[in-house]
Amino acid sequence: MIPMQMQMARWDEILTLPVQNPPTPEFSASDIMWSRVEGWKDSMDRLALIPFSRVNDFVRGESNNKECPTRFHVEARRRRPPTMNCKPKVDGILEYILYWCSFGPDDYRKGGSVRPSRNSSTKRKTPAGRPHTKRGCICHFIVKRLIAEPSVALVIYNHDKHVDKIGKPCHGPMDNMAIGTKAMFAPYISDELRLQIMSLLCVGIPVETIMQRHTEMIEKQGGPSNRDGLLTHRYVRRLERKIRRSVYELDDDDAISINIWVENHQNHIFLYEDFSDKDTFIVGVQTDWQLQQMIQYGNRSLLASDSKFGTNKLKYPVHSLLVFDEQKNAIPVAWIITPNFSHGEAYRWMGALYDRVRTKDPTWQLGGFIIDDPFADVRTIRGNGGMELFEAFLEDFVDCAGFLDYFRALWFPRLGSWITMLRTTPLATTEVASAIESYHHLLKLRLLNEANERVYQRADWLVHKLGTKVHSYYWLDEYSGKDNFSRYWRSEWKSGPNPWQQGLQIPDSDVIVEGNCARVVCQKNKERSHVIVNPGSDLALCDCSWSRKGNICKHAIKSTKVFRQRGLAPPSLALYRYYQALANVVHCPPSDTLISDHAVAVAIFVRTQLDSLLDATNGNSSNRSTSKDPQSVIEPRESDVREGSIENDVCASQSQAECGDEVSDEQNDDLDRFVFKKRKSREASDEEGSPTATQITQPSETESSQATDLQEPLDRQENRAPKKSKSKEASDGGKANARQAKQPSETESRPAIDQQEPLHHRQENPAHKKTKSGEASDGEETMAMQVMEPSETE
């Protein structure tokens, strides 16, 4: 009984240990707190608990030891069958794995010992290291997956020194006999170099060119400094042969073939479900590199969805999830493949992907999710609001019967859903939309270029090409040395900045305003120019080839930026939504003041970052001379926030229970008229003569008042009215005030620009007349309400 009691006490102590999950892509023994627990034969085991899904991360981190670089291989493995007839024990093991340093345990040096079974052993699928690399290293550790906690791995690491049986260093820089030999470095090249070679081979770079560029780089470094410097022509040729012989059609039956592919690429799959009576087929593909990009660029940032690729050609469309790097280029971090008729099932893969990322980095959080088809599963439901606003749009294309049929069939059923989403959710900027369009275009060039289009109906071809050739192109997009292979570039290669970055590089002097249009000088041929219709709007159109395909071109981006800088166009819808949400938070605070203060602090932090970033990017623009000094609109913070009213925007005079983030129907109608403005009739322009560019781009009085009402930010008051009646007086009386609105452009944060709202339009409002005859004082009617941006300290 005593040994049994000691064994139970040992496992009780082990199971009470904390599960350690370092927030790094890879971690080693130095990143873990090890515990000493009594083991067998009165020995003390050095052990720790980590998530079982991160065992490979621990193995890679331990292999990349700078003091003694090596590689660990699986020396022994035992698995318990999934079905067990006996009752599971507390110390029962589901899986046992023995990892050993690739420089051991055999010793092929002169005088070393070799196990007798090694000479007659069968050939392994994953070799344990070349015989000439074996130097008798005893460094090894054991991983156990327990029945009591299947998601946890018990790591026992008693022999953590890279020494032989007599205790002397047997490889690495500490071994004097290894200096000048390959034993000084790791036995294999790094995973980064292997991925680089595989990507170059997949896109068609010859083996000789790869070796030539690698040799030149090593010579510039002054010789090899690690195992990657000893890359051989034979190794690269072996990888090339492996790629050339790989096939996607593993079976005539597509379902069986995809099952085999998934079984052989478990590390690249985060979700796989076959057809069943209730659910459809779905497979989620994410490589280790894509997971790293998602952690690096998606943490507290944006994740975008491109769910419409291949709906016309592919049997299984590709749903891409994207992140954005420092240059705002879109990088695919996951591909979800599902039948064309399967929509609105994001819950099936979202949880699995989130768990995979959080397992790798427990601190990872998503800042926002950009969607491109919010109601794809209810496309047959047609909304009623705002449909009449598209009548003028359809009249302009009355001669294009094919386009009208396409628009009515595909977009009419979803207009109501889109209008609802535009009213209730924040909007993505033009910069994000441009990056997603560039990704979609490149994916079409890289994926849909097969001569035999029958392969588009197979799922095994799709996952194979996404995981090999397409993945290689996107990895090379982020590779700094891709210019060394410029002679092999084709249309599938990405070169140069995206349209947003190209638009920012166009000088302001190349933008010419002509009536209700704008001309942008072509940067390749200065004698040519492109005409932009409806400049300054989110719906601007250009006559260049990129815009004719339905994309946002650099000319439209630049013209919009210039128009907004000069005050000829209202701010973007994305910026308007930001101010509206900020006004709702401050004027209608939640019940918890801590949440309200946190929301305001985050908004101030974001604004401060935008100011510093955009000022550093754009410098001192000549257009800033017409702006006001920002100090003139900033006042010291007072104890209370004024309960002034912003028509159709906030509900400051209501009780806290009546307030909230909801948008009224009247406000939604104003937003529709503000976003989808009908074109001015030509009769007005004929009667008033030839208008200037400023007159054409300025909205009408009604539209201006509506836009100002919707976009007006916060106001402050020295003394808060304690009574509801006084608050209502200020709310109604404030409708006649002349307001100064500070609205920065989309691409830079500019000082405040006064935008005076027409007074006579306000006076025509019956509610205003009633208020004017009421208790509102003359001082309140004429007082100018000034927008105040929070200071950095606040």
Side-chain angles (χ1 to χ4, degrees), residues 197-208:
I197 296 174
M198 294 287 289
S199 300
L200 292 173
L201 292 174
C202 285
V203 301
I205 306 299
V207 176
E208 291 74 13

Side-chain angles (χ1 to χ4, degrees), residues 20-24 26-34 58 61-62:
Q20 304 180 55
N21 190 8
T24 54
E26 298 176 356
F27 61 97
S28 61
S30 59
D31 302 321
I32 297 177
M33 298 296 295
W34 296 91
F58 175 74
E62 195 65 14

Side-chain angles (χ1 to χ4, degrees), residues 211-277:
M211 286 302 305
Q212 181 182 357
R213 300 294 188 271
H214 183 77
T215 303
E216 293 175 355
M217 182 186 66
I218 296 301
E219 291 178 353
K220 291 180 180 179
Q221 296 178 355
S225 58
N226 51 31
R227 182 61 181 84
D228 293 345
L230 303 177
L231 181 67
T232 61
H233 188 279
R234 180 183 177 184
Y235 182 80
V236 180
R237 178 66 66 183
R238 187 164 64 247
L239 292 179
E240 187 270 339
R241 190 186 309 112
K242 179 180 179 181
I243 295 174
R244 179 162 35 88
R245 294 178 178 178
S246 63
V247 293
Y248 67 86
E249 192 172 350
L250 303 177
D251 191 90
D252 294 337
D253 190 346
D254 190 26
I256 298 177
S257 180
I258 192 66
N259 285 331
I260 299 175
W261 191 93
V262 170
E263 186 67 24
N264 297 335
H265 300 81
Q266 288 291 335
N267 294 334
H268 296 172
I269 303 297
F270 69 89
L271 176 65
Y272 174 68
E273 296 179 5
D274 204 349
F275 283 102
S276 63
D277 297 336

Side-chain angles (χ1 to χ4, degrees), residues 18 132 173 228 302 327 344 438 526 659 755:
H132 64 273
D228 293 345
L302 294 177
Q327 290 76 30
S438 299
K526 293 294 184 179
C659 294
Q755 296 180 354

Side-chain angles (χ1 to χ4, degrees), residues 594-660:
L594 180 61
I595 299 177
S596 177
D597 294 341
H598 176 71
V600 175
V602 170
I604 297 172
F605 173 73
V606 172
R607 181 55 182 272
T608 304
Q609 285 187 323
L610 289 175
D611 290 342
S612 59
L613 178 62
L614 297 177
D615 288 343
T617 303
N618 298 328
N620 295 326
S621 175
S622 58
N623 297 322
R624 291 176 178 263
S625 59
T626 60
S627 303
K628 291 182 64 177
D629 186 3
Q631 298 295 333
S632 63
V633 295
I634 297 179
E635 300 176 358
R637 177 166 181 155
E638 300 174 2
S639 58
D640 295 326
V641 179
R642 180 175 183 175
E643 294 183 351
S645 173
I646 301 177
E647 183 179 3
N648 296 330
D649 193 4
V650 296
C651 46
S653 61
Q654 300 177 0
S655 63
Q656 195 169 19
E658 298 174 346
C659 294

Side-chain angles (χ1 to χ4, degrees), residues 543-561:
D543 61 354
C544 67
S545 60
W546 183 250
S547 181
R548 288 180 181 273
K549 295 179 181 179
N551 302 313
I552 303 175
C553 68
K554 58 183 178 181
H555 312 106
I557 293 173
K558 183 61 180 181
S559 63
T560 301
K561 180 176 181 294

